[in-house]
Amino acid sequence: MCTNIVYEWLKTLQLPQYAESFVDNGYDDLEVCKQIGDPDLDAIGVAVPHHRRRIHEAVRRLKEADETAAGLYFTLEPQP
């Protein structure tokens, strides 16, 4: 089983059984997961309606978190 950010995300959604399918279909990063739609869930094999709703809701929250943080940025500068 994969242990990456997508696995951890799916685990919090109580859907870890889809982690391998997500990664196999190229959804190995939350940035990519933000683009998931119904055709993607079909390809991944998420057929259970309430699982699909749970994923769609989580994707919406990920996008909202991005909008909230859109005004924030930082730079990596060496410390003296």
Side-chain angles (χ1 to χ4, degrees):
M1 178 55 62
C2 55
T3 54
N4 67 12
I5 190 71
V6 174
Y7 171 76
E8 294 300 324
W9 179 63
L10 289 168
K11 196 166 127 182
T12 65
L13 300 176
Q14 298 178 342
L15 299 171
Q17 66 269 33
Y18 297 113
E20 192 171 339
S21 292
F22 266 68
V23 172
D24 288 349
N25 283 279
Y27 297 94
D28 57 354
D29 181 284
L30 292 182
E31 287 301 313
V32 179
C33 288
K34 291 177 192 174
Q35 309 305 314
I36 288 177
D38 283 321
D40 306 300
L41 293 178
D42 291 339
I44 292 167
V46 182
V48 181
H50 67 275
H51 290 182
R52 292 171 77 95
R53 281 192 302 274
R54 200 178 307 167
I55 292 168
H56 280 306
E57 178 63 22
V59 167
R60 185 188 61 75
R61 286 193 308 267
L62 285 174
K63 289 178 181 178
E64 283 178 359
D66 266 2
E67 290 172 10
T68 303
L72 301 175
Y73 69 94
F74 65 94
T75 59
L76 297 175
E77 296 178 3
Q79 293 293 319

